[in-house]
Amino acid sequence: LDTDMSGYITLREIDPASNNILVNFRQWADDAFGGVVPAFAAFDIDGSNEISKVEFRQACRIFGFKANSFRLFDALDVSGNGSLSSSE
């Protein structure tokens, strides 16, 4: 798994597609909002500190994130509960 023999296994080595979308989202969030935390606040329109998949997809569309928001949401939803919290 450690294809570059660095001594570490990275997401890029395990799941390059998820790595790429996460890197792209981070870059976009930095450019558009100044970071992921402010992007989360902008996406959390109802102030619940959670974002559902539907809210996330709508926010991506509204704010202009063009990549696959389904794949991105699944990569970010580490708890697998179908919503994102600020701690994820």
mmCIF file of all heavy atoms in Angstrom, residues 20-72:
data_model
loop_
_atom_site.group_PDB
_atom_site.id
_atom_site.type_symbol
_atom_site.label_atom_id
_atom_site.label_comp_id
_atom_site.label_asym_id
_atom_site.label_seq_id
_atom_site.Cartn_x
_atom_site.Cartn_y
_atom_site.Cartn_z
ATOM 1 N N ASN A 20 -8.350 13.327 -4.335
ATOM 2 C CA ASN A 20 -8.412 14.456 -5.267
ATOM 3 C C ASN A 20 -9.595 15.368 -4.977
ATOM 4 O O ASN A 20 -9.451 16.592 -4.992
ATOM 5 C CB ASN A 20 -8.464 13.956 -6.710
ATOM 6 C CG ASN A 20 -7.150 13.382 -7.156
ATOM 7 O OD1 ASN A 20 -6.107 13.657 -6.579
ATOM 8 N ND2 ASN A 20 -7.191 12.557 -8.195
ATOM 9 N N ILE A 21 -10.761 14.805 -4.719
ATOM 10 C CA ILE A 21 -11.927 15.652 -4.468
ATOM 11 C C ILE A 21 -11.789 16.408 -3.151
ATOM 12 O O ILE A 21 -12.187 17.563 -3.043
ATOM 13 C CB ILE A 21 -13.249 14.865 -4.565
ATOM 14 C CG1 ILE A 21 -14.402 15.850 -4.770
ATOM 15 C CG2 ILE A 21 -13.482 14.000 -3.351
ATOM 16 C CD1 ILE A 21 -15.654 15.231 -5.311
ATOM 17 N N LEU A 22 -11.183 15.781 -2.141
ATOM 18 C CA LEU A 22 -10.957 16.478 -0.867
ATOM 19 C C LEU A 22 -9.951 17.617 -1.029
ATOM 20 O O LEU A 22 -10.157 18.716 -0.502
ATOM 21 C CB LEU A 22 -10.486 15.502 0.206
ATOM 22 C CG LEU A 22 -11.556 14.546 0.731
ATOM 23 C CD1 LEU A 22 -10.924 13.430 1.561
ATOM 24 C CD2 LEU A 22 -12.601 15.291 1.549
ATOM 25 N N VAL A 23 -8.895 17.369 -1.776
ATOM 26 C CA VAL A 23 -7.898 18.411 -2.023
ATOM 27 C C VAL A 23 -8.531 19.560 -2.815
ATOM 28 O O VAL A 23 -8.324 20.740 -2.489
ATOM 29 C CB VAL A 23 -6.663 17.832 -2.753
ATOM 30 C CG1 VAL A 23 -5.758 18.930 -3.287
ATOM 31 C CG2 VAL A 23 -5.894 16.899 -1.834
ATOM 32 N N ASN A 24 -9.329 19.220 -3.823
ATOM 33 C CA ASN A 24 -9.986 20.249 -4.630
ATOM 34 C C ASN A 24 -10.961 21.065 -3.791
ATOM 35 O O ASN A 24 -11.041 22.291 -3.925
ATOM 36 C CB ASN A 24 -10.709 19.633 -5.828
ATOM 37 C CG ASN A 24 -9.749 19.123 -6.872
ATOM 38 O OD1 ASN A 24 -8.602 19.540 -6.941
ATOM 39 N ND2 ASN A 24 -10.214 18.196 -7.687
ATOM 40 N N PHE A 25 -11.720 20.398 -2.910
ATOM 41 C CA PHE A 25 -12.663 21.112 -2.056
ATOM 42 C C PHE A 25 -11.925 22.039 -1.101
ATOM 43 O O PHE A 25 -12.327 23.188 -0.899
ATOM 44 C CB PHE A 25 -13.543 20.138 -1.274
ATOM 45 C CG PHE A 25 -14.548 20.832 -0.394
ATOM 46 C CD1 PHE A 25 -15.639 21.467 -0.944
ATOM 47 C CD2 PHE A 25 -14.383 20.848 0.978
ATOM 48 C CE1 PHE A 25 -16.566 22.122 -0.141
ATOM 49 C CE2 PHE A 25 -15.302 21.490 1.794
ATOM 50 C CZ PHE A 25 -16.398 22.132 1.235
ATOM 51 N N ARG A 26 -10.856 21.559 -0.518
ATOM 52 C CA ARG A 26 -10.064 22.387 0.405
ATOM 53 C C ARG A 26 -9.554 23.633 -0.297
ATOM 54 O O ARG A 26 -9.652 24.745 0.223
ATOM 55 C CB ARG A 26 -8.906 21.559 0.967
ATOM 56 C CG ARG A 26 -7.890 22.331 1.771
ATOM 57 C CD ARG A 26 -8.353 22.474 3.192
ATOM 58 N NE ARG A 26 -7.506 23.328 3.975
ATOM 59 C CZ ARG A 26 -6.688 22.914 4.918
ATOM 60 N NH1 ARG A 26 -6.601 21.636 5.201
ATOM 61 N NH2 ARG A 26 -5.982 23.761 5.594
ATOM 62 N N GLN A 27 -9.028 23.455 -1.498
ATOM 63 C CA GLN A 27 -8.522 24.599 -2.276
ATOM 64 C C GLN A 27 -9.652 25.569 -2.592
ATOM 65 O O GLN A 27 -9.518 26.786 -2.418
ATOM 66 C CB GLN A 27 -7.873 24.102 -3.580
ATOM 67 C CG GLN A 27 -7.346 25.211 -4.454
ATOM 68 C CD GLN A 27 -6.080 25.811 -3.900
ATOM 69 O OE1 GLN A 27 -5.202 25.091 -3.462
ATOM 70 N NE2 GLN A 27 -5.977 27.126 -3.917
ATOM 71 N N TRP A 28 -10.797 25.037 -3.032
ATOM 72 C CA TRP A 28 -11.947 25.879 -3.358
ATOM 73 C C TRP A 28 -12.450 26.615 -2.112
ATOM 74 O O TRP A 28 -12.729 27.815 -2.176
ATOM 75 C CB TRP A 28 -13.052 25.016 -3.974
ATOM 76 C CG TRP A 28 -14.315 25.769 -4.231
ATOM 77 C CD1 TRP A 28 -14.591 26.565 -5.298
ATOM 78 C CD2 TRP A 28 -15.470 25.799 -3.390
ATOM 79 N NE1 TRP A 28 -15.852 27.087 -5.161
ATOM 80 C CE2 TRP A 28 -16.408 26.636 -4.006
ATOM 81 C CE3 TRP A 28 -15.792 25.199 -2.170
ATOM 82 C CZ2 TRP A 28 -17.656 26.888 -3.439
ATOM 83 C CZ3 TRP A 28 -17.034 25.449 -1.618
ATOM 84 C CH2 TRP A 28 -17.952 26.281 -2.249
ATOM 85 N N ALA A 29 -12.581 25.917 -0.987
ATOM 86 C CA ALA A 29 -13.058 26.533 0.253
ATOM 87 C C ALA A 29 -12.099 27.626 0.721
ATOM 88 O O ALA A 29 -12.537 28.684 1.180
ATOM 89 C CB ALA A 29 -13.244 25.479 1.341
ATOM 90 N N ASP A 30 -10.799 27.377 0.587
ATOM 91 C CA ASP A 30 -9.812 28.398 0.942
ATOM 92 C C ASP A 30 -9.985 29.642 0.075
ATOM 93 O O ASP A 30 -9.992 30.764 0.579
ATOM 94 C CB ASP A 30 -8.386 27.862 0.797
ATOM 95 C CG ASP A 30 -7.985 26.887 1.882
ATOM 96 O OD1 ASP A 30 -8.710 26.768 2.900
ATOM 97 O OD2 ASP A 30 -6.940 26.219 1.710
ATOM 98 N N ASP A 31 -10.152 29.429 -1.223
ATOM 99 C CA ASP A 31 -10.281 30.546 -2.157
ATOM 100 C C ASP A 31 -11.611 31.284 -1.978
ATOM 101 O O ASP A 31 -11.652 32.513 -1.997
ATOM 102 C CB ASP A 31 -10.164 30.067 -3.603
ATOM 103 C CG ASP A 31 -8.787 29.546 -3.954
ATOM 104 O OD1 ASP A 31 -7.822 29.812 -3.205
ATOM 105 O OD2 ASP A 31 -8.666 28.849 -4.983
ATOM 106 N N ALA A 32 -12.696 30.539 -1.822
ATOM 107 C CA ALA A 32 -14.036 31.135 -1.798
ATOM 108 C C ALA A 32 -14.425 31.696 -0.433
ATOM 109 O O ALA A 32 -15.166 32.688 -0.360
ATOM 110 C CB ALA A 32 -15.069 30.107 -2.254
ATOM 111 N N PHE A 33 -13.963 31.055 0.655
ATOM 112 C CA PHE A 33 -14.429 31.422 1.996
ATOM 113 C C PHE A 33 -13.313 31.739 2.984
ATOM 114 O O PHE A 33 -13.588 32.126 4.110
ATOM 115 C CB PHE A 33 -15.279 30.287 2.592
ATOM 116 C CG PHE A 33 -16.522 30.000 1.813
ATOM 117 C CD1 PHE A 33 -16.551 28.970 0.883
ATOM 118 C CD2 PHE A 33 -17.675 30.751 2.012
ATOM 119 C CE1 PHE A 33 -17.697 28.699 0.163
ATOM 120 C CE2 PHE A 33 -18.824 30.485 1.297
ATOM 121 C CZ PHE A 33 -18.832 29.466 0.359
ATOM 122 N N GLY A 34 -12.079 31.473 2.588
ATOM 123 C CA GLY A 34 -10.974 31.663 3.521
ATOM 124 C C GLY A 34 -10.677 30.444 4.354
ATOM 125 O O GLY A 34 -9.888 30.490 5.280
ATOM 126 N N GLY A 35 -11.327 29.315 4.052
ATOM 127 C CA GLY A 35 -11.071 28.065 4.767
ATOM 128 C C GLY A 35 -12.297 27.187 4.830
ATOM 129 O O GLY A 35 -13.409 27.594 4.453
ATOM 130 N N VAL A 36 -12.091 25.972 5.315
ATOM 131 C CA VAL A 36 -13.168 24.999 5.409
ATOM 132 C C VAL A 36 -14.160 25.365 6.513
ATOM 133 O O VAL A 36 -15.367 25.197 6.356
ATOM 134 C CB VAL A 36 -12.599 23.573 5.612
ATOM 135 C CG1 VAL A 36 -13.693 22.566 5.839
ATOM 136 C CG2 VAL A 36 -11.755 23.164 4.403
ATOM 137 N N VAL A 37 -13.671 25.891 7.627
ATOM 138 C CA VAL A 37 -14.569 26.253 8.738
ATOM 139 C C VAL A 37 -15.542 27.356 8.319
ATOM 140 O O VAL A 37 -16.753 27.220 8.529
ATOM 141 C CB VAL A 37 -13.766 26.621 10.004
ATOM 142 C CG1 VAL A 37 -14.676 27.182 11.080
ATOM 143 C CG2 VAL A 37 -13.006 25.404 10.527
ATOM 144 N N PRO A 38 -15.072 28.434 7.691
ATOM 145 C CA PRO A 38 -16.037 29.422 7.219
ATOM 146 C C PRO A 38 -16.975 28.874 6.140
ATOM 147 O O PRO A 38 -18.143 29.273 6.070
ATOM 148 C CB PRO A 38 -15.173 30.553 6.658
ATOM 149 C CG PRO A 38 -13.827 30.367 7.246
ATOM 150 C CD PRO A 38 -13.695 28.903 7.539
ATOM 151 N N ALA A 39 -16.491 27.950 5.318
ATOM 152 C CA ALA A 39 -17.361 27.323 4.314
ATOM 153 C C ALA A 39 -18.462 26.532 5.003
ATOM 154 O O ALA A 39 -19.630 26.601 4.603
ATOM 155 C CB ALA A 39 -16.550 26.413 3.390
ATOM 156 N N PHE A 40 -18.111 25.792 6.056
ATOM 157 C CA PHE A 40 -19.117 25.042 6.806
ATOM 158 C C PHE A 40 -20.178 25.988 7.358
ATOM 159 O O PHE A 40 -21.376 25.721 7.262
ATOM 160 C CB PHE A 40 -18.478 24.245 7.943
ATOM 161 C CG PHE A 40 -19.461 23.410 8.719
ATOM 162 C CD1 PHE A 40 -19.724 22.103 8.350
ATOM 163 C CD2 PHE A 40 -20.148 23.939 9.801
ATOM 164 C CE1 PHE A 40 -20.648 21.334 9.044
ATOM 165 C CE2 PHE A 40 -21.073 23.190 10.515
ATOM 166 C CZ PHE A 40 -21.323 21.876 10.128
ATOM 167 N N ALA A 41 -19.748 27.108 7.913
ATOM 168 C CA ALA A 41 -20.693 28.084 8.475
ATOM 169 C C ALA A 41 -21.621 28.618 7.388
ATOM 170 O O ALA A 41 -22.829 28.781 7.617
ATOM 171 C CB ALA A 41 -19.937 29.221 9.148
ATOM 172 N N ALA A 42 -21.092 28.870 6.206
ATOM 173 C CA ALA A 42 -21.922 29.363 5.104
ATOM 174 C C ALA A 42 -22.896 28.287 4.627
ATOM 175 O O ALA A 42 -24.044 28.579 4.282
ATOM 176 C CB ALA A 42 -21.032 29.822 3.951
ATOM 177 N N PHE A 43 -22.464 27.034 4.632
ATOM 178 C CA PHE A 43 -23.316 25.925 4.185
ATOM 179 C C PHE A 43 -24.414 25.620 5.206
ATOM 180 O O PHE A 43 -25.478 25.151 4.850
ATOM 181 C CB PHE A 43 -22.479 24.662 3.981
ATOM 182 C CG PHE A 43 -21.710 24.601 2.686
ATOM 183 C CD1 PHE A 43 -21.226 25.737 2.056
ATOM 184 C CD2 PHE A 43 -21.436 23.376 2.107
ATOM 185 C CE1 PHE A 43 -20.517 25.657 0.861
ATOM 186 C CE2 PHE A 43 -20.734 23.273 0.918
ATOM 187 C CZ PHE A 43 -20.271 24.422 0.293
ATOM 188 N N ASP A 44 -24.150 25.895 6.473
ATOM 189 C CA ASP A 44 -25.088 25.581 7.562
ATOM 190 C C ASP A 44 -26.097 26.724 7.713
ATOM 191 O O ASP A 44 -26.084 27.475 8.681
ATOM 192 C CB ASP A 44 -24.322 25.354 8.860
ATOM 193 C CG ASP A 44 -25.214 24.946 10.019
ATOM 194 O OD1 ASP A 44 -26.337 24.460 9.772
ATOM 195 O OD2 ASP A 44 -24.791 25.124 11.163
ATOM 196 N N ILE A 45 -26.980 26.832 6.767
ATOM 197 C CA ILE A 45 -27.905 27.959 6.692
ATOM 198 C C ILE A 45 -28.833 28.034 7.902
ATOM 199 O O ILE A 45 -29.132 29.114 8.395
ATOM 200 C CB ILE A 45 -28.706 27.896 5.378
ATOM 201 C CG1 ILE A 45 -27.746 28.107 4.203
ATOM 202 C CG2 ILE A 45 -29.821 28.925 5.353
ATOM 203 C CD1 ILE A 45 -28.321 27.850 2.854
ATOM 204 N N ASP A 46 -29.259 26.887 8.427
ATOM 205 C CA ASP A 46 -30.199 26.908 9.555
ATOM 206 C C ASP A 46 -29.504 27.000 10.915
ATOM 207 O O ASP A 46 -30.158 27.042 11.954
ATOM 208 C CB ASP A 46 -31.149 25.711 9.519
ATOM 209 C CG ASP A 46 -30.446 24.369 9.695
ATOM 210 O OD1 ASP A 46 -29.210 24.343 9.886
ATOM 211 O OD2 ASP A 46 -31.135 23.339 9.619
ATOM 212 N N GLY A 47 -28.174 27.021 10.939
ATOM 213 C CA GLY A 47 -27.434 27.179 12.191
ATOM 214 C C GLY A 47 -27.489 25.989 13.125
ATOM 215 O O GLY A 47 -27.225 26.119 14.316
ATOM 216 N N SER A 48 -27.776 24.805 12.599
ATOM 217 C CA SER A 48 -27.933 23.609 13.426
ATOM 218 C C SER A 48 -26.608 22.929 13.768
ATOM 219 O O SER A 48 -26.582 21.957 14.513
ATOM 220 C CB SER A 48 -28.832 22.600 12.707
ATOM 221 O OG SER A 48 -28.194 22.138 11.525
ATOM 222 N N ASN A 49 -25.510 23.405 13.204
ATOM 223 C CA ASN A 49 -24.189 22.783 13.347
ATOM 224 C C ASN A 49 -24.130 21.404 12.711
ATOM 225 O O ASN A 49 -23.255 20.605 13.038
ATOM 226 C CB ASN A 49 -23.728 22.729 14.809
ATOM 227 C CG ASN A 49 -23.399 24.101 15.338
ATOM 228 O OD1 ASN A 49 -22.815 24.923 14.638
ATOM 229 N ND2 ASN A 49 -23.796 24.363 16.560
ATOM 230 N N GLU A 50 -25.079 21.112 11.844
ATOM 231 C CA GLU A 50 -25.068 19.893 11.030
ATOM 232 C C GLU A 50 -25.555 20.239 9.632
ATOM 233 O O GLU A 50 -26.390 21.132 9.474
ATOM 234 C CB GLU A 50 -25.982 18.819 11.622
ATOM 235 C CG GLU A 50 -25.437 18.179 12.865
ATOM 236 C CD GLU A 50 -26.187 16.911 13.240
ATOM 237 O OE1 GLU A 50 -27.267 16.655 12.692
ATOM 238 O OE2 GLU A 50 -25.660 16.188 14.087
ATOM 239 N N ILE A 51 -25.014 19.531 8.666
ATOM 240 C CA ILE A 51 -25.412 19.731 7.278
ATOM 241 C C ILE A 51 -25.809 18.375 6.707
ATOM 242 O O ILE A 51 -25.005 17.443 6.696
ATOM 243 C CB ILE A 51 -24.263 20.332 6.446
ATOM 244 C CG1 ILE A 51 -23.795 21.656 7.047
ATOM 245 C CG2 ILE A 51 -24.687 20.517 5.000
ATOM 246 C CD1 ILE A 51 -22.543 22.208 6.416
ATOM 247 N N SER A 52 -27.048 18.275 6.244
ATOM 248 C CA SER A 52 -27.510 17.037 5.624
ATOM 249 C C SER A 52 -26.941 16.938 4.203
ATOM 250 O O SER A 52 -26.416 17.919 3.654
ATOM 251 C CB SER A 52 -29.041 17.007 5.558
ATOM 252 O OG SER A 52 -29.500 17.944 4.593
ATOM 253 N N LYS A 53 -27.068 15.769 3.611
ATOM 254 C CA LYS A 53 -26.595 15.569 2.243
ATOM 255 C C LYS A 53 -27.318 16.506 1.288
ATOM 256 O O LYS A 53 -26.709 17.080 0.390
ATOM 257 C CB LYS A 53 -26.782 14.110 1.824
ATOM 258 C CG LYS A 53 -26.034 13.736 0.568
ATOM 259 C CD LYS A 53 -26.141 12.243 0.307
ATOM 260 C CE LYS A 53 -24.803 11.709 -0.120
ATOM 261 N NZ LYS A 53 -24.774 10.267 -0.286
ATOM 262 N N VAL A 54 -28.618 16.679 1.492
ATOM 263 C CA VAL A 54 -29.401 17.567 0.629
ATOM 264 C C VAL A 54 -28.912 19.012 0.774
ATOM 265 O O VAL A 54 -28.687 19.706 -0.221
ATOM 266 C CB VAL A 54 -30.911 17.456 0.944
ATOM 267 C CG1 VAL A 54 -31.714 18.531 0.231
ATOM 268 C CG2 VAL A 54 -31.424 16.070 0.595
ATOM 269 N N GLU A 55 -28.742 19.475 2.024
ATOM 270 C CA GLU A 55 -28.237 20.836 2.268
ATOM 271 C C GLU A 55 -26.857 21.022 1.640
ATOM 272 O O GLU A 55 -26.568 22.064 1.046
ATOM 273 C CB GLU A 55 -28.122 21.110 3.771
ATOM 274 C CG GLU A 55 -29.415 21.287 4.499
ATOM 275 C CD GLU A 55 -29.204 21.439 5.993
ATOM 276 O OE1 GLU A 55 -28.550 20.565 6.605
ATOM 277 O OE2 GLU A 55 -29.705 22.430 6.546
ATOM 278 N N PHE A 56 -26.018 20.002 1.785
ATOM 279 C CA PHE A 56 -24.659 20.079 1.256
ATOM 280 C C PHE A 56 -24.670 20.217 -0.257
ATOM 281 O O PHE A 56 -23.990 21.066 -0.815
ATOM 282 C CB PHE A 56 -23.862 18.842 1.680
ATOM 283 C CG PHE A 56 -22.416 18.909 1.307
ATOM 284 C CD1 PHE A 56 -21.522 19.650 2.067
ATOM 285 C CD2 PHE A 56 -21.943 18.232 0.192
ATOM 286 C CE1 PHE A 56 -20.183 19.714 1.725
ATOM 287 C CE2 PHE A 56 -20.610 18.296 -0.157
ATOM 288 C CZ PHE A 56 -19.727 19.038 0.615
ATOM 289 N N ARG A 57 -25.463 19.395 -0.913
ATOM 290 C CA ARG A 57 -25.543 19.452 -2.386
ATOM 291 C C ARG A 57 -26.082 20.802 -2.851
ATOM 292 O O ARG A 57 -25.583 21.376 -3.815
ATOM 293 C CB ARG A 57 -26.399 18.315 -2.924
ATOM 294 C CG ARG A 57 -25.686 16.973 -2.861
ATOM 295 C CD ARG A 57 -26.437 15.856 -3.548
ATOM 296 N NE ARG A 57 -27.082 16.160 -4.809
ATOM 297 C CZ ARG A 57 -26.471 16.313 -5.990
ATOM 298 N NH1 ARG A 57 -25.164 16.205 -6.050
ATOM 299 N NH2 ARG A 57 -27.144 16.566 -7.085
ATOM 300 N N GLN A 58 -27.100 21.304 -2.155
ATOM 301 C CA GLN A 58 -27.662 22.605 -2.517
ATOM 302 C C GLN A 58 -26.622 23.708 -2.341
ATOM 303 O O GLN A 58 -26.475 24.580 -3.202
ATOM 304 C CB GLN A 58 -28.896 22.919 -1.670
ATOM 305 C CG GLN A 58 -30.089 22.090 -2.030
ATOM 306 C CD GLN A 58 -31.254 22.292 -1.068
ATOM 307 O OE1 GLN A 58 -31.086 22.806 0.038
ATOM 308 N NE2 GLN A 58 -32.436 21.865 -1.491
ATOM 309 N N ALA A 59 -25.902 23.673 -1.231
ATOM 310 C CA ALA A 59 -24.885 24.694 -0.965
ATOM 311 C C ALA A 59 -23.763 24.622 -1.999
ATOM 312 O O ALA A 59 -23.297 25.667 -2.472
ATOM 313 C CB ALA A 59 -24.334 24.541 0.444
ATOM 314 N N CYS A 60 -23.338 23.424 -2.355
ATOM 315 C CA CYS A 60 -22.302 23.286 -3.386
ATOM 316 C C CYS A 60 -22.763 23.924 -4.690
ATOM 317 O O CYS A 60 -22.008 24.648 -5.352
ATOM 318 C CB CYS A 60 -21.950 21.813 -3.613
ATOM 319 S SG CYS A 60 -20.913 21.094 -2.324
ATOM 320 N N ARG A 61 -24.004 23.679 -5.049
ATOM 321 C CA ARG A 61 -24.558 24.246 -6.283
ATOM 322 C C ARG A 61 -24.657 25.772 -6.169
ATOM 323 O O ARG A 61 -24.230 26.503 -7.064
ATOM 324 C CB ARG A 61 -25.914 23.633 -6.602
ATOM 325 C CG ARG A 61 -26.470 24.040 -7.947
ATOM 326 C CD ARG A 61 -27.791 23.364 -8.298
ATOM 327 N NE ARG A 61 -28.841 23.744 -7.366
ATOM 328 C CZ ARG A 61 -29.365 22.942 -6.434
ATOM 329 N NH1 ARG A 61 -28.958 21.700 -6.321
ATOM 330 N NH2 ARG A 61 -30.319 23.365 -5.628
ATOM 331 N N ILE A 62 -25.204 26.266 -5.054
ATOM 332 C CA ILE A 62 -25.398 27.709 -4.863
ATOM 333 C C ILE A 62 -24.070 28.460 -4.869
ATOM 334 O O ILE A 62 -23.940 29.516 -5.498
ATOM 335 C CB ILE A 62 -26.169 27.983 -3.557
ATOM 336 C CG1 ILE A 62 -27.622 27.539 -3.700
ATOM 337 C CG2 ILE A 62 -26.089 29.450 -3.155
ATOM 338 C CD1 ILE A 62 -28.381 27.456 -2.382
ATOM 339 N N PHE A 63 -23.076 27.906 -4.168
ATOM 340 C CA PHE A 63 -21.797 28.598 -4.026
ATOM 341 C C PHE A 63 -20.801 28.274 -5.136
ATOM 342 O O PHE A 63 -19.701 28.827 -5.169
ATOM 343 C CB PHE A 63 -21.189 28.322 -2.652
ATOM 344 C CG PHE A 63 -21.951 28.961 -1.529
ATOM 345 C CD1 PHE A 63 -22.668 28.177 -0.642
ATOM 346 C CD2 PHE A 63 -21.971 30.330 -1.367
ATOM 347 C CE1 PHE A 63 -23.383 28.760 0.404
ATOM 348 C CE2 PHE A 63 -22.678 30.930 -0.338
ATOM 349 C CZ PHE A 63 -23.392 30.134 0.552
ATOM 350 N N GLY A 64 -21.154 27.366 -6.047
ATOM 351 C CA GLY A 64 -20.350 27.157 -7.240
ATOM 352 C C GLY A 64 -19.271 26.098 -7.179
ATOM 353 O O GLY A 64 -18.354 26.118 -7.995
ATOM 354 N N PHE A 65 -19.381 25.152 -6.242
ATOM 355 C CA PHE A 65 -18.418 24.050 -6.239
ATOM 356 C C PHE A 65 -18.863 23.052 -7.294
ATOM 357 O O PHE A 65 -19.953 22.487 -7.233
ATOM 358 C CB PHE A 65 -18.335 23.376 -4.871
ATOM 359 C CG PHE A 65 -17.295 22.295 -4.803
ATOM 360 C CD1 PHE A 65 -15.951 22.610 -4.869
ATOM 361 C CD2 PHE A 65 -17.663 20.960 -4.698
ATOM 362 C CE1 PHE A 65 -14.976 21.622 -4.829
ATOM 363 C CE2 PHE A 65 -16.700 19.965 -4.654
ATOM 364 C CZ PHE A 65 -15.356 20.298 -4.721
ATOM 365 N N LYS A 66 -18.032 22.809 -8.295
ATOM 366 C CA LYS A 66 -18.441 22.073 -9.492
ATOM 367 C C LYS A 66 -18.184 20.566 -9.457
ATOM 368 O O LYS A 66 -18.696 19.847 -10.289
ATOM 369 C CB LYS A 66 -17.721 22.644 -10.717
ATOM 370 C CG LYS A 66 -17.928 24.116 -10.914
ATOM 371 C CD LYS A 66 -19.308 24.433 -11.398
ATOM 372 C CE LYS A 66 -19.397 25.894 -11.768
ATOM 373 N NZ LYS A 66 -20.660 26.490 -11.456
ATOM 374 N N ALA A 67 -17.405 20.081 -8.529
ATOM 375 C CA ALA A 67 -17.051 18.648 -8.516
ATOM 376 C C ALA A 67 -18.219 17.803 -8.005
ATOM 377 O O ALA A 67 -19.280 18.323 -7.649
ATOM 378 C CB ALA A 67 -15.812 18.424 -7.668
ATOM 379 N N ASN A 68 -18.020 16.515 -7.953
ATOM 380 C CA ASN A 68 -19.044 15.556 -7.547
ATOM 381 C C ASN A 68 -19.362 15.705 -6.057
ATOM 382 O O ASN A 68 -18.630 15.211 -5.204
ATOM 383 C CB ASN A 68 -18.553 14.147 -7.866
ATOM 384 C CG ASN A 68 -19.574 13.076 -7.581
ATOM 385 O OD1 ASN A 68 -20.438 13.214 -6.731
ATOM 386 N ND2 ASN A 68 -19.463 11.979 -8.305
ATOM 387 N N SER A 69 -20.457 16.367 -5.749
ATOM 388 C CA SER A 69 -20.788 16.630 -4.343
ATOM 389 C C SER A 69 -21.237 15.374 -3.608
ATOM 390 O O SER A 69 -21.118 15.287 -2.391
ATOM 391 C CB SER A 69 -21.845 17.731 -4.224
ATOM 392 O OG SER A 69 -23.026 17.379 -4.899
ATOM 393 N N PHE A 70 -21.759 14.368 -4.338
ATOM 394 C CA PHE A 70 -22.104 13.093 -3.700
ATOM 395 C C PHE A 70 -20.852 12.429 -3.148
ATOM 396 O O PHE A 70 -20.799 12.015 -1.996
ATOM 397 C CB PHE A 70 -22.775 12.127 -4.691
ATOM 398 C CG PHE A 70 -24.215 12.410 -4.961
ATOM 399 C CD1 PHE A 70 -24.625 12.762 -6.228
ATOM 400 C CD2 PHE A 70 -25.169 12.315 -3.964
ATOM 401 C CE1 PHE A 70 -25.954 13.015 -6.496
ATOM 402 C CE2 PHE A 70 -26.505 12.559 -4.210
ATOM 403 C CZ PHE A 70 -26.895 12.916 -5.497
ATOM 404 N N ARG A 71 -19.846 12.315 -3.985
ATOM 405 C CA ARG A 71 -18.590 11.665 -3.572
ATOM 406 C C ARG A 71 -17.921 12.465 -2.458
ATOM 407 O O ARG A 71 -17.401 11.906 -1.497
ATOM 408 C CB ARG A 71 -17.652 11.505 -4.757
ATOM 409 C CG ARG A 71 -16.307 10.956 -4.337
ATOM 410 C CD ARG A 71 -15.416 10.625 -5.486
ATOM 411 N NE ARG A 71 -15.028 9.237 -5.234
ATOM 412 C CZ ARG A 71 -14.928 8.322 -6.139
ATOM 413 N NH1 ARG A 71 -15.191 8.581 -7.374
ATOM 414 N NH2 ARG A 71 -14.557 7.110 -5.812
ATOM 415 N N LEU A 72 -17.929 13.790 -2.579
ATOM 416 C CA LEU A 72 -17.321 14.640 -1.561
ATOM 417 C C LEU A 72 -18.027 14.463 -0.224
ATOM 418 O O LEU A 72 -17.377 14.289 0.807
ATOM 419 C CB LEU A 72 -17.364 16.102 -1.990
ATOM 420 C CG LEU A 72 -16.856 17.113 -0.966
ATOM 421 C CD1 LEU A 72 -15.409 16.832 -0.576
ATOM 422 C CD2 LEU A 72 -17.010 18.523 -1.505
#
